[in-house]
Amino acid sequence: MKRIPAAPLWLSAVTLLSLTAATRPGPVRGAEPTPLYQDATQPVEARVDDLIGRLTLEEKISLLHADSKFTTAAIPRLGIPRRWLSDGPHGVREDVGPDTWSNAGHTDDFSTAMPAGICLAATWNPELGFSEGSAIGQEARLRGKDIMLGPGVNILRTPLCGRNFEYLGEDPLLSGTMAAGYVRGAQAQDIASCVKHFALNDQEYERDSINVEVDERTLREIYLPAFQTVVQSGGVWTVMGAYNQFRGQHCCHNDYLLNTILKGEWGFQGLVMSDWAGVHDTKEAVLNGLDLEMGTERKYDTFYLAKPYRDGLQTGEFGLAGLDEKVRRNLRVMIATHVLDAQRKPGSLNTAAHQAVARHVVEEGIVLLKNAGHILPLDLAKLQSIAVIGENATRLHAHGGDSSGIKAFYEITPLEGIVKRAGSKVNVVYSEGYRKGGDATLAERAVAAAKSAEVVIYFGGLNHDKGFDCEGADRKDLQLPYGQDELLEKIVAANPRTIVVLEGTMVEMGAWLEPVPALLQAWYPGMEGGSALAGVLFGDVNPSGKLPATFPKKLSDSPAHTFGPEAYPGVKGPNASNGTVTYAEGLLVGYRWFDTKNVAPLFPFGFGLSYTTFAYSQLKLVPTETGVTAEFTIKNTGSVAGAEVAQLYVHPEKPGVLRPEKELKGFKKVWLQPGEQKTVTLSLTPQAFAFYSPEQKSWVAQSGAYQILLGGSSRDLPLQAEYQLARTQLLK
Ligand code: BGC
């Protein structure tokens, strides 16, 4: 049952003021049996035009701001229902109270908990993005939601950002492609997705006030393309402004980002909403492109886009055309997602198909980082005892991380997954090993358990506690917490057959990494995590994930951490009330930095092993009408079926301007039986060779020689061919 928070007081009060309707008042009873706007066979724009003409000024304004934490007001006389928004992006969030962040205590607000965004990105499989979006969209519909707050596509600039787990990694092409698939899947279920946080919300430290300074080229080449892809190719209906400032103006009302780029250059037709309490100024909110203000930190009548806006309209400070433009965008989203129609997709919850999506995403997103002597997969037929060690073997993660947390229908922990899959013939013992504020006996008992078992499977890494992978704060360092480095050294000394599974985002890895034969990165694996992990460990599933971000050897190797506090976490000028962070590394984010500066990563972008091997051959470049197609062959040269993510990078040979050493310009996940080979094609348009020229306000594909590099990771590119771009082109 949905709860209906009390109607905002000022709305009922102001109706008494009987303000003049901006345009025509409500329908005349009987004169129009089926108003045009209610006729689902009419074009969206005609319906919007019709409806906007029926709204009073008060009603219009009521559509532009929240009336509870996650709703906007209904207009019953016109049959406009309350709009329900929900986080996002890993499933449909539990219900919170109308005015607080606390759980509402409902018992019917469970949902399927998908793996974290970074795990979805690690699948490099846009079809899975579509399936996940579609499952979440169906659950959103059943739970009565209209707008789902996700996906998040902020670029992983620093490994310390507390929300990296929610986002899709360090590369704009990968991130945008995965997110666009997700949005298409979700919106096909008659809900609107909300891509967030636009833009440059790349750290949680001082996120409400920090001002980001980034040069125009970097903005265009690194931080905006994923959003642009989601807008233009994903067709996303809503965009959430970020909390932070960009060039001295808050992103929720940033004229350049919202009016010039998003709505102007990209032609976005949907609505821009604020992040919760991310608005700071009425005039900017009115004029700079915001269409819907959310948050509860203010009383509803004092929302910047409520009474202050109405006052400004009455004094003539703001024009009515601007009001209608905002209303139009809100109505367009409602009508396009069938909010007003009887035939709206009804949705479904926790179906076997949704569970399967949760499982497929993690099965394809787990990354095998090391497998010396082919210790994995473990052969259960030959195994009698396993020591499972580590707090993350039993810890539930799905509810954590803050706004992206999910009240999961269930969550299969790694220990449960292993016990179930190992069956009764294998003796599985569990030892916690470490714990926040734990003592030495925990470690001693774990070492004893390690000694007496044939094989150890260690589950450690991070969790969603504040200060790790959690909204609202960044990590302080990249260390494994709770003394795990020392513990792991002791465990692997006690039993060299130690398999390490890390959950969470990236960490620095201590001296244990060398002797440990196998390492898996499992992110936050969602409610099917334990089953998927058991599947990978025992060989039912062949891992095929690839890193969506570079793992540095140490934090100080990361580009954002090479230029002092100005570049991270930002500094305050003598008279400034807020800090400024300057992206001094410019274009060289993630692998673009490590490759250009020749810094050896711990594990490179795009890297991930399999239980089989793949051979690349026969690269041919075939000119097309619009550019060039790379045609090549991949063969499964091992003895089990598996999937490989072929990655295409472009290296400009003699660029006239600074260019990263190479950049990802295409990828494809390919499934192959043992011995099977497939011809794969990846097509490039001139955009794949272009850089953004701030002087020309345009993308420029410069004529000249480019290397096309192909292979299974950014540092393993066996196929290379030269491509000559015949003429320089300016691209829009
Ligand atoms: C977060 C958003 C989230 C919103 C609503 C904000 O604090 O930054 O990502 O969608 O809250 O929960």
Side-chain angles (χ1 to χ4, degrees):
M1 280 265 298
K2 277 182 192 169
R3 70 271 179 244
I4 314 289
L9 286 176
W10 79 274
L11 265 187
S12 34
V14 289
T15 29
L16 299 174
L17 297 175
S18 64
L19 282 156
T20 334
T23 43
R24 180 153 74 92
V28 182
R29 201 178 289 263
E32 199 179 23
T34 307
L36 192 152
Y37 75 90
Q38 286 181 347
D39 181 350
T41 64
Q42 295 294 324
V44 172
E45 290 310 307
R47 296 176 70 189
V48 172
D49 281 341
D50 180 58
L51 184 49
I52 209 166
R54 297 168 190 267
L55 294 170
T56 66
L57 180 71
E58 287 309 324
E59 288 166 342
K60 288 180 179 177
I61 287 188
S62 78
L63 292 172
L64 307 184
H65 61 84
D67 78 332
S68 87
K69 194 102 212 163
F70 285 104
T71 57
T72 65
I75 306 177
R77 88 177 171 89
L78 293 170
I80 297 179
R82 205 162 201 201
R83 265 180 303 179
W84 290 78
L85 293 79
S86 172
D87 287 303
H90 304 144
V92 189
R93 187 180 181 177
E94 67 182 2
D95 299 334
V96 298
D99 292 300
T100 72
W101 289 113
S102 325
N103 163 340
H106 294 168
T107 51
D108 59 354
D109 55 352
F110 293 87
S111 104
T112 296
M114 297 292 172
I118 188 104
C119 181
L120 177 64
T123 69
W124 293 61
N125 181 352
E127 282 167 28
L128 274 181
F130 184 92
S131 311
E132 178 172 326
S134 159
I136 292 175
Q138 286 167 15
E139 301 211 345
R141 283 305 308 126
L142 196 95
R143 295 258 314 268
K145 309 298 180 192
D146 302 301
I147 301 181
M148 284 297 295
L149 309 175
V153 297
N154 294 94
I155 291 292
L156 194 155
R157 170 177 184 253
T158 159
L160 298 185
C161 173
R163 290 184 92 169
N164 282 342
F165 74 95
E166 263 185 73
Y167 301 145
L168 302 169
E170 73 187 22
D171 183 78
L173 176 72
L174 175 64
S175 171
T177 308
M178 297 305 298
Y182 176 111
V183 166
R184 279 192 288 266
Q187 294 194 161
Q189 301 306 321
D190 290 349
I191 62 130
S193 292
C194 179
V195 67
K196 62 191 188 183
H197 309 87
F198 189 66
L200 302 151
N201 183 182
D202 310 312
Q203 65 186 55
E204 288 296 282
Y205 179 76
E206 293 187 349
R207 68 173 181 178
D208 299 320
S209 60
I210 195 90
N211 175 43
V212 177
E213 291 293 335
V214 57
D215 67 87
E216 189 67 18
R217 217 187 126 191
T218 302
L219 176 74
R220 301 286 184 154
E221 292 190 26
I222 304 292
Y223 295 97
L224 294 188
F227 287 101
Q228 186 174 1
T229 303
V230 173
V231 167
Q232 293 185 326
S233 134
V236 75
W237 274 120
T238 81
V239 173
M240 187 189 293
Y243 278 131
N244 51 284
Q245 304 187 46
F246 166 59
R247 295 184 186 157
Q249 194 167 56
H250 272 99
C251 292
C252 289
H253 30 84
N254 189 294
D255 185 46
Y256 187 56
L257 288 177
L258 302 180
N259 283 337
T260 306
I261 297 179
L262 176 65
K263 294 181 176 177
E265 294 176 24
W266 300 350
F268 176 64
Q269 296 296 310
L271 73 87
V272 175
M273 74 175 75
S274 70
D275 202 340
W276 270 236
V279 180
H280 302 267
D281 183 86
T282 299
K283 190 168 176 191
E284 288 188 2
V286 170
L287 300 179
N288 293 354
L290 186 70
D291 306 304
L292 173 60
E293 183 183 358
M294 298 302 297
T296 46
E297 280 69 12
R298 304 171 69 80
K299 294 265 174 267
Y300 300 113
D301 57 346
T302 60
F303 265 90
Y304 295 95
L305 289 189
K307 187 173 177 302
Y309 188 17
R310 191 196 58 190
D311 291 349
L313 285 162
Q314 283 176 328
T315 62
E317 185 189 2
F318 307 125
L320 289 173
L323 171 69
D324 278 359
E325 166 67 8
K326 292 183 196 305
V327 173
R328 180 174 293 281
R329 287 174 178 272
N330 278 273
L331 296 179
R332 184 181 291 136
V333 174
M334 281 194 216
I335 289 174
T337 54
H338 304 294
V339 169
L340 303 183
D341 301 340
Q343 260 89 38
R344 194 173 181 204
K345 301 229 166 86
S348 56
L349 203 58
N350 191 33
T351 62
H354 298 176
Q355 295 169 8
V357 173
R359 183 160 171 168
H360 288 152
V361 172
V362 55
E363 284 176 349
E364 288 194 33
I366 290 171
V367 185
L368 178 62
L369 292 173
K370 190 172 178 187
N371 194 16
H374 302 287
I375 186 170
L376 288 177
L378 295 170
D379 184 351
L380 275 174
K382 294 189 188 138
L383 213 57
Q384 269 148 29
S385 63
I386 303 174
V388 174
I389 297 176
E391 196 211 12
N392 270 345
T394 58
R395 188 172 175 127
L396 302 178
H397 294 293
H399 63 284
D402 215 347
S403 66
S404 61
I406 296 298
K407 188 160 145 188
F409 276 102
Y410 59 84
E411 185 172 345
I412 301 168
T413 64
L415 181 62
E416 286 165 352
I418 287 173
V419 166
K420 182 155 182 243
R421 179 65 182 82
S424 54
K425 289 199 202 94
V426 183
N427 184 26
V428 180
V429 294
Y430 172 63
S431 184
E432 194 178 354
Y434 69 88
R435 180 196 296 173
K436 186 176 181 179
D439 55 39
T441 46
L442 278 181
E444 278 164 27
R445 280 161 42 199
V447 170
K451 265 195 191 126
S452 57
E454 274 170 88
V455 62
V456 175
I457 311 177
Y458 177 90
F459 291 90
L462 301 175
N463 56 47
H464 286 310
D465 283 357
K466 250 305 178 271
F468 297 138
D469 289 318
C470 186
E471 188 175 335
D474 285 347
R475 283 154 73 188
K476 296 273 173 296
D477 55 42
L478 272 197
Q479 303 291 306
L480 268 174
Y482 318 126
Q484 290 183 73
D485 280 318
E486 298 76 33
L487 175 65
L488 270 165
E489 276 181 51
K490 287 184 195 149
I491 288 173
V492 69
N495 189 336
R497 286 168 57 82
T498 293
I499 290 143
V500 175
V501 183
L502 293 179
E503 293 191 295
T505 57
M506 66 183 80
V507 292
E508 286 173 15
M509 301 186 196
W512 52 266
L513 181 59
E514 224 278 309
V516 152
L519 174 65
L520 287 160
Q521 182 69 33
W523 318 110
Y524 294 102
M527 73 183 204
E528 284 282 335
S531 310
L533 276 159
V536 167
L537 290 162
F538 300 120
D540 314 326
V541 174
N542 187 354
S544 61
K546 302 271 187 174
L547 292 182
T550 309
F551 280 23
K553 285 188 177 158
K554 48 188 195 308
L555 180 65
S556 56
D557 287 345
S558 296
H561 298 272
T562 335
F563 296 92
E566 282 82 6
Y568 182 87
V571 290
K572 272 195 181 80
N575 302 315
S577 56
N578 62 281
T580 288
V581 58
T582 306
Y583 289 12
E585 72 287 356
L587 299 169
L588 302 183
V589 174
Y591 68 90
R592 288 167 167 81
W593 170 268
F594 286 82
D595 291 351
T596 309
K597 300 285 180 187
N598 273 316
V599 182
L602 183 62
F603 295 107
F605 176 78
F607 176 74
L609 300 167
S610 163
Y611 295 152
T612 186
T613 44
F614 301 98
Y616 286 76
S617 63
Q618 295 168 40
L619 172 60
K620 249 194 342 201
L621 298 184
V622 185
T624 63
E625 252 173 50
T626 49
V628 61
T629 293
E631 205 180 286
F632 55 98
T633 302
I634 310 183
K635 182 173 184 181
N636 181 342
T637 49
S639 54
V640 289
E644 167 70 332
V645 178
Q647 301 162 41
L648 184 158
Y649 295 82
V650 171
H651 162 74
E653 284 189 13
K654 287 201 190 81
V657 295
L658 171 83
R659 304 286 304 257
E661 172 69 14
K662 62 175 180 286
E663 296 184 275
L664 182 74
K665 294 298 173 185
F667 61 91
K668 196 171 266 177
K669 194 159 193 172
V670 184
W671 278 260
L672 294 164
Q673 294 300 319
E676 190 187 4
Q677 67 174 44
K678 278 184 186 161
T679 301
V680 182
T681 56
L682 286 168
S683 294
L684 302 176
T685 63
Q687 181 68 32
F689 305 94
F691 66 93
Y692 185 82
S693 161
E695 294 75 33
Q696 302 180 70
K697 290 196 178 0
S698 174
W699 290 84
V700 181
Q702 219 166 33
S703 64
Y706 295 84
Q707 287 287 333
I708 309 282
L709 311 169
L710 258 155
S713 106
S714 66
R715 294 252 169 158
D716 179 16
L717 299 162
L719 299 183
Q720 312 198 349
E722 194 180 274
Y723 176 66
Q724 287 287 342
L725 193 64
R727 56 183 186 91
T728 298
Q729 298 172 51
L730 296 190
L731 311 164
K732 275 296 149 210

